[in-house]
């Protein structure tokens, strides 16, 4: 394997039409072994893999990369490049066995299940021995068996690996560090994703409680400032009232003048207090703005105004069987009833006929 090195220096990138850059000033070094790339949907994980492997060009900064880089997409629509070569290569025997790739697969790619295609795709990628291997969601939609085979094969990889995955266990098992993406920021944390996210959670929790405390203080200060403004206004009105009281010509003991001075003095004092309170409010607001409280990402799907189907059932299918492929295999199913509020899990290993049934 060629000497590998991978470093990003001040990378800038945005897709056409984006109002905010996806990455700015992104500087990361990737060591040998696997680095997890973690972030919510749309955070730029796939984009990062493509920038790193040269499929996309950064708009600023530099990608220092030596040796061959391979990007392995999540989708498995097309057979991998060099699939035939791999099948007949003498040095592919171990990988073929390890990932259980069968020799007739290139001819019948169209009939392979996703899990089988994924195993083939990754086997070929590993066989090509790239210096940098970037895998996009390799374990999505594959069963436990295939996942185990993949994990073992990936553990053997000796180059620099980037792994985008929502499979926490896989990230924990393979990765020695994680890049957490949250545009436009990206942070590198040591350890598997569980450790990295726990650290992030802690920081977020303390930021959130500091923010809450400051918000309560801000509200209190605002109320106090308002109260003092009212007092100051009352004082000012009172003073205007006193001013109108004519100071008697014979203010022998200067009492009226003293009273006036007292009132205007109080007014100035109240005004100063209001200004002070406002200053405090401003300070707290500024402190609060300095605390970054990340928004929580919701998962799941909401449809506005949606309601459940009022009917008793949407579908009734009496027990029967379905042919699976051309080799005479059959899928036998029991009576099926689908109600308006049904939530149905359809489970089974890859290639068992789940998609066919649907
Ligand atoms: N060619 C493109 N043109 C314009 N916008 C794009 C393009 N490709 C991706 N984007 C946008 O860039 C953002 C990041 O996309 P990307 O596919 O890198 O996210 P991701 O982290 O891989 O998400 P997911 O977890 O859903 O796979 C998204 O908002 C996406 O819509
Ligand atoms: Mg993606």
């Amino acid at each position: 394997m060629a000497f590998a090195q991978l470093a990003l220096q001040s990378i800038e990138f945005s897709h056409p039409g984006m109002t905010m850059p996806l990455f700015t000033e992104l500087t990361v070094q990737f060591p040998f072994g696997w680095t997890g790339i973690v972030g919510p949907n749309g955070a730029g994980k796939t984009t990062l893999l493509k920038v790193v492997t040269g499929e996309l060009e950064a708009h600023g900064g530099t990608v220092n990369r030596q040796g061959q880089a391979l990007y392995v997409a999540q989708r498995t629509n097309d057979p991998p490049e060099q699939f035939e070569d791999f099948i007949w290569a003498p040095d592919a025997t171990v990988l073929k066995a390890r990932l259980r790739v069968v020799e007739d697969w290139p001819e019948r790619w169209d009939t392979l299940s996703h899990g089988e295609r994924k195993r083939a795709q990754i086997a070929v990628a590993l066989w090509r021995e790239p210096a940098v291997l970037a895998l996009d969601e390799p374990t999505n939609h594959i069963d436990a068996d295939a996942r185990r085979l993949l994990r073992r094969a990936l553990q053997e990889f000796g180059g620099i690996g980037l792994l985008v995955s929502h499979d926490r266990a896989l990230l924990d098992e393979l990765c020695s560090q994680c890049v957490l993406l949250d545009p436009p920021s990206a942070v590198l944390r040591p350890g598997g994703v569980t450790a990295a996210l726990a650290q992030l959670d802690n920081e977020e929790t303390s930021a959130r409680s500091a923010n809450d405390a400051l918000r309560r203080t801000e509200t209190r200060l605002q109320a106090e400032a308002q109260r003092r403004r009212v007092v100051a206004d009352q004082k000012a009105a009172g003073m205007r009232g006193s001013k109108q009281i004519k100071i008697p010509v014979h203010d022998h003991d200067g009492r009226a003048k003293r009273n006036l001075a007292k009132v205007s003095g109080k007014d100035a004092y109240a005004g100063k207090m209001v200004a002070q309170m406002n200053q405090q409010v401003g300070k707290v607001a500024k402190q609060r703005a300095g605390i970054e409280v990340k928004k929580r990402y919701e998962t799941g799907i909401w449809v506005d105004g949606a309601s459940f189907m009022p009917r008793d059932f949407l579908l009734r299918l009496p027990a029967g069987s379905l042919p699976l492929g051309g080799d005479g295999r059959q899928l036998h199913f029991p009576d099926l009833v689908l109600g308006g509020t049904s939530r149905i899990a359809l489970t089974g290993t890859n290639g068992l006929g789940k998609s066919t049934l649907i």
Side-chain angles (χ1 to χ4, degrees):
M1 185 171 307
F3 169 73
Q5 176 187 312
L6 181 63
L8 304 183
Q9 182 71 44
S10 304
I11 292 296
E12 300 277 335
F13 190 89
S14 42
H15 285 291
M18 279 188 159
T19 50
M20 278 238 303
L22 208 46
F23 311 125
T24 104
E25 288 293 314
L26 179 61
T27 298
V28 195
Q29 296 239 15
F30 294 92
F32 284 97
W34 291 99
T35 296
I37 313 292
V38 183
N41 291 137
K45 302 181 294 296
T46 298
T47 305
L48 181 63
L49 294 192
K50 289 184 173 175
V51 168
V52 162
T53 53
E55 299 233 340
L56 285 173
E57 202 179 325
H59 302 150
T62 45
V63 178
N64 287 312
R65 188 184 58 231
Q66 281 173 16
Q68 186 196 191
L70 259 188
Y71 167 70
V72 178
Q74 181 180 354
R75 296 164 68 107
T76 53
N77 299 29
D78 303 317
E81 269 179 57
Q82 305 182 18
F83 194 15
E84 287 274 356
D85 298 345
F86 166 78
I87 291 290
W88 304 114
D91 61 351
T93 323
V94 172
L95 268 170
K96 263 192 308 198
R98 180 165 291 155
L99 286 167
R100 299 195 193 138
V101 177
V102 183
E103 278 163 14
D104 72 342
W105 281 8
E107 295 141 51
R108 59 177 210 91
W109 183 261
D110 288 346
T111 59
L112 295 180
S113 76
H114 173 75
E116 289 163 342
R117 289 182 182 196
K118 194 44 97 179
R119 267 149 53 202
Q121 196 190 32
I122 288 177
V124 177
L126 288 169
W127 170 70
R128 290 172 66 183
E129 296 199 328
V132 175
L133 179 58
L135 298 184
D136 207 342
E137 313 260 14
T139 56
N140 271 15
H141 315 300
I142 66 168
D143 62 31
D145 217 28
R147 190 184 163 285
R148 196 169 37 77
L149 297 178
L150 274 182
R151 193 198 66 214
R152 272 208 239 135
L154 295 180
Q155 269 165 341
E156 303 274 303
F157 177 62
I160 295 175
L162 273 69
L163 176 63
V164 167
S165 182
H166 288 104
D167 181 341
R168 275 202 189 195
L170 185 76
L171 288 162
D172 281 339
E173 283 156 1
L174 289 178
C175 300
S176 53
Q177 59 169 12
C178 286
V179 175
L180 305 181
L181 290 182
D182 195 356
S185 83
V187 285
L188 183 79
R189 310 241 173 194
V193 68
T194 301
L197 288 178
Q199 195 184 341
L200 191 71
D201 263 0
N202 276 342
E203 286 167 17
E204 281 183 10
T205 306
S206 51
R208 195 162 287 119
S209 58
N211 183 59
D212 287 348
L214 281 175
R215 194 180 39 224
R216 283 194 297 274
T217 308
E218 195 180 336
T219 311
R220 259 202 339 268
L221 287 174
Q222 272 167 344
E224 183 60 17
Q226 172 64 18
R227 193 184 69 77
R228 292 188 183 198
R229 206 161 24 242
V230 171
V231 170
D233 287 351
Q234 280 169 352
K235 293 268 154 63
M239 189 189 77
R240 274 195 300 278
S242 328
K243 263 184 187 162
Q244 277 155 16
I245 296 169
K246 264 173 68 187
I247 295 175
V249 183
H250 305 292
D251 182 21
H252 293 299
D253 49 4
R255 219 172 91 193
K257 269 187 189 148
R258 274 204 306 282
N259 280 346
L260 178 58
K262 228 192 248 167
V263 169
S264 50
K266 267 188 193 158
D267 174 62
Y269 176 74
K272 210 169 114 192
M273 288 313 286
V274 171
Q276 238 173 40
M277 290 314 294
N278 281 335
Q279 214 177 5
Q280 296 282 356
V281 172
K283 262 191 212 156
V284 172
K286 209 164 135 194
Q287 250 175 303
R288 215 153 76 73
I291 298 180
E292 231 182 295
V293 177
K294 293 275 159 63
K295 55 183 180 293
R296 288 257 159 232
Y297 291 93
E298 303 279 5
T299 53
I301 296 172
W302 277 263
V303 180
D304 275 344
S307 59
F308 286 114
M309 199 62 147
R311 295 184 199 149
D312 289 343
F313 66 92
L314 297 173
L315 173 92
R316 257 184 200 163
L317 189 64
S321 58
L322 278 168
L324 290 176
D327 56 3
R329 281 188 306 147
Q330 295 269 322
L331 176 73
H332 302 282
F333 55 86
D335 285 336
L336 296 176
V337 181
L338 213 65
T341 57
S342 300
R343 286 166 178 238
I344 294 155
L346 195 55
T347 63
T349 51
N350 290 136
L352 213 71
K354 300 182 292 296
S355 299
T356 307
L357 180 66
I358 285 182

Short mmCIF file of all heavy atoms in Angstrom, two decimals, residues 287-310:
data_model
loop_
_atom_site.label_atom_id
_atom_site.label_comp_id
_atom_site.label_asym_id
_atom_site.label_seq_id
_atom_site.Cartn_x
_atom_site.Cartn_y
_atom_site.Cartn_z
N GLN A 287 -24.00 38.10 27.37
CA GLN A 287 -23.46 36.86 27.90
C GLN A 287 -24.20 35.66 27.32
O GLN A 287 -23.63 34.65 26.97
CB GLN A 287 -23.66 36.82 29.42
CG GLN A 287 -22.40 36.95 30.23
CD GLN A 287 -22.77 37.02 31.69
OE1 GLN A 287 -23.52 37.90 32.09
NE2 GLN A 287 -22.26 36.09 32.47
N ARG A 288 -25.53 35.85 27.26
CA ARG A 288 -26.39 34.77 26.78
C ARG A 288 -26.12 34.49 25.30
O ARG A 288 -26.09 33.33 24.87
CB ARG A 288 -27.85 35.17 26.98
CG ARG A 288 -28.73 34.01 27.33
CD ARG A 288 -29.91 34.48 28.13
NE ARG A 288 -30.91 35.16 27.32
CZ ARG A 288 -31.72 34.53 26.48
NH1 ARG A 288 -31.63 33.23 26.31
NH2 ARG A 288 -32.62 35.21 25.81
N ALA A 289 -25.89 35.56 24.55
CA ALA A 289 -25.63 35.39 23.12
C ALA A 289 -24.33 34.63 22.90
O ALA A 289 -24.16 33.95 21.89
CB ALA A 289 -25.58 36.75 22.44
N GLY A 290 -23.42 34.74 23.89
CA GLY A 290 -22.13 34.07 23.77
C GLY A 290 -22.23 32.57 24.00
O GLY A 290 -21.31 31.82 23.67
N ILE A 291 -23.33 32.15 24.58
CA ILE A 291 -23.50 30.71 24.83
C ILE A 291 -24.17 30.08 23.64
O ILE A 291 -25.23 30.52 23.22
CB ILE A 291 -24.36 30.45 26.08
CG1 ILE A 291 -23.68 31.04 27.31
CG2 ILE A 291 -24.60 28.95 26.27
CD1 ILE A 291 -24.48 30.84 28.57
N GLU A 292 -23.52 29.06 23.12
CA GLU A 292 -24.12 28.43 21.95
C GLU A 292 -25.01 27.29 22.41
O GLU A 292 -24.53 26.33 23.02
CB GLU A 292 -23.01 27.87 21.07
CG GLU A 292 -23.16 28.31 19.63
CD GLU A 292 -22.08 27.70 18.79
OE1 GLU A 292 -20.91 28.02 19.01
OE2 GLU A 292 -22.43 26.88 17.93
N VAL A 293 -26.28 27.42 22.18
CA VAL A 293 -27.18 26.32 22.51
C VAL A 293 -27.66 25.72 21.20
O VAL A 293 -28.34 26.37 20.42
CB VAL A 293 -28.36 26.79 23.37
CG1 VAL A 293 -29.31 25.63 23.63
CG2 VAL A 293 -27.86 27.34 24.69
N LYS A 294 -27.21 24.49 20.98
CA LYS A 294 -27.53 23.83 19.72
C LYS A 294 -28.99 23.42 19.69
O LYS A 294 -29.54 22.99 20.70
CB LYS A 294 -26.66 22.59 19.56
CG LYS A 294 -25.21 22.91 19.39
CD LYS A 294 -24.91 23.20 17.94
CE LYS A 294 -23.64 24.01 17.76
NZ LYS A 294 -22.47 23.30 18.23
N LYS A 295 -29.58 23.56 18.52
CA LYS A 295 -30.94 23.09 18.40
C LYS A 295 -30.95 21.56 18.40
O LYS A 295 -30.02 20.92 17.94
CB LYS A 295 -31.62 23.64 17.15
CG LYS A 295 -30.89 23.36 15.85
CD LYS A 295 -31.64 24.02 14.73
CE LYS A 295 -30.97 23.77 13.39
NZ LYS A 295 -29.68 24.38 13.20
N ARG A 296 -31.99 21.01 18.95
CA ARG A 296 -32.13 19.56 18.97
C ARG A 296 -32.73 19.12 17.65
O ARG A 296 -33.66 19.74 17.15
CB ARG A 296 -33.06 19.14 20.11
CG ARG A 296 -32.42 19.31 21.43
CD ARG A 296 -31.99 17.94 21.94
NE ARG A 296 -30.96 18.10 22.94
CZ ARG A 296 -29.79 17.47 22.88
NH1 ARG A 296 -29.52 16.67 21.90
NH2 ARG A 296 -28.91 17.65 23.83
N TYR A 297 -32.20 18.06 17.12
CA TYR A 297 -32.77 17.58 15.87
C TYR A 297 -33.86 16.58 16.15
O TYR A 297 -33.66 15.60 16.87
CB TYR A 297 -31.68 16.96 15.01
CG TYR A 297 -30.74 18.01 14.51
CD1 TYR A 297 -29.58 18.30 15.19
CD2 TYR A 297 -31.07 18.77 13.39
CE1 TYR A 297 -28.74 19.30 14.77
CE2 TYR A 297 -30.23 19.76 12.95
CZ TYR A 297 -29.07 20.02 13.63
OH TYR A 297 -28.25 21.01 13.20
N GLU A 298 -34.99 16.84 15.63
CA GLU A 298 -36.11 15.90 15.78
C GLU A 298 -35.92 14.77 14.80
O GLU A 298 -35.41 14.95 13.71
CB GLU A 298 -37.43 16.61 15.45
CG GLU A 298 -37.70 17.84 16.27
CD GLU A 298 -38.27 17.51 17.63
OE1 GLU A 298 -38.36 16.31 17.95
OE2 GLU A 298 -38.59 18.44 18.38
N THR A 299 -36.38 13.61 15.20
CA THR A 299 -36.37 12.52 14.23
C THR A 299 -37.82 12.12 13.96
O THR A 299 -38.72 12.49 14.70
CB THR A 299 -35.59 11.31 14.76
OG1 THR A 299 -36.12 10.99 16.03
CG2 THR A 299 -34.12 11.62 14.87
N GLY A 300 -38.04 11.37 12.93
CA GLY A 300 -39.39 10.96 12.59
C GLY A 300 -40.01 11.91 11.59
O GLY A 300 -39.39 12.87 11.15
N ILE A 301 -41.24 11.63 11.23
CA ILE A 301 -41.91 12.41 10.19
C ILE A 301 -43.23 12.92 10.72
O ILE A 301 -43.99 12.18 11.33
CB ILE A 301 -42.16 11.54 8.93
CG1 ILE A 301 -40.82 11.11 8.32
CG2 ILE A 301 -43.00 12.29 7.91
CD1 ILE A 301 -40.96 10.11 7.20
N TRP A 302 -43.47 14.20 10.53
CA TRP A 302 -44.77 14.75 10.88
C TRP A 302 -45.44 15.26 9.63
O TRP A 302 -44.79 15.86 8.78
CB TRP A 302 -44.60 15.93 11.84
CG TRP A 302 -44.44 15.50 13.26
CD1 TRP A 302 -45.42 15.44 14.20
CD2 TRP A 302 -43.25 15.04 13.88
NE1 TRP A 302 -44.89 14.97 15.39
CE2 TRP A 302 -43.58 14.71 15.22
CE3 TRP A 302 -41.95 14.86 13.45
CZ2 TRP A 302 -42.65 14.23 16.13
CZ3 TRP A 302 -41.01 14.37 14.36
CH2 TRP A 302 -41.36 14.06 15.67
N VAL A 303 -46.73 14.99 9.51
CA VAL A 303 -47.46 15.53 8.36
C VAL A 303 -48.57 16.42 8.93
O VAL A 303 -49.41 15.94 9.69
CB VAL A 303 -48.07 14.40 7.51
CG1 VAL A 303 -48.81 14.99 6.32
CG2 VAL A 303 -46.99 13.44 7.04
N ASP A 304 -48.48 17.71 8.58
CA ASP A 304 -49.47 18.64 9.11
C ASP A 304 -50.87 18.24 8.71
O ASP A 304 -51.13 17.93 7.55
CB ASP A 304 -49.19 20.06 8.57
CG ASP A 304 -48.16 20.75 9.44
OD1 ASP A 304 -47.94 20.26 10.57
OD2 ASP A 304 -47.58 21.75 8.99
N GLY A 305 -51.77 18.26 9.67
CA GLY A 305 -53.17 18.01 9.36
C GLY A 305 -53.51 16.57 9.05
O GLY A 305 -54.63 16.26 8.65
N ALA A 306 -52.53 15.68 9.22
CA ALA A 306 -52.81 14.28 8.90
C ALA A 306 -53.64 13.64 10.00
O ALA A 306 -53.55 14.01 11.16
CB ALA A 306 -51.50 13.51 8.75
N SER A 307 -54.50 12.74 9.63
CA SER A 307 -55.23 12.00 10.65
C SER A 307 -55.25 10.54 10.22
O SER A 307 -54.93 10.21 9.08
CB SER A 307 -56.64 12.53 10.78
OG SER A 307 -57.29 12.41 9.54
N PHE A 308 -55.64 9.69 11.15
CA PHE A 308 -55.65 8.28 10.81
C PHE A 308 -56.85 7.95 9.95
O PHE A 308 -57.90 8.57 10.03
CB PHE A 308 -55.65 7.44 12.08
CG PHE A 308 -54.33 7.44 12.76
CD1 PHE A 308 -54.19 8.03 14.00
CD2 PHE A 308 -53.22 6.89 12.15
CE1 PHE A 308 -52.96 8.05 14.64
CE2 PHE A 308 -51.99 6.90 12.78
CZ PHE A 308 -51.86 7.48 14.02
N MET A 309 -56.66 6.93 9.15
CA MET A 309 -57.72 6.45 8.30
C MET A 309 -58.88 5.94 9.16
O MET A 309 -58.67 5.13 10.05
CB MET A 309 -57.10 5.27 7.52
CG MET A 309 -57.83 4.90 6.31
SD MET A 309 -57.82 6.28 5.17
CE MET A 309 -57.78 5.38 3.69
N PRO A 310 -60.09 6.44 8.93
CA PRO A 310 -61.19 6.01 9.79
C PRO A 310 -61.69 4.60 9.48
O PRO A 310 -62.43 4.03 10.26
CB PRO A 310 -62.27 7.06 9.49
CG PRO A 310 -61.95 7.55 8.13
CD PRO A 310 -60.49 7.41 7.93
#
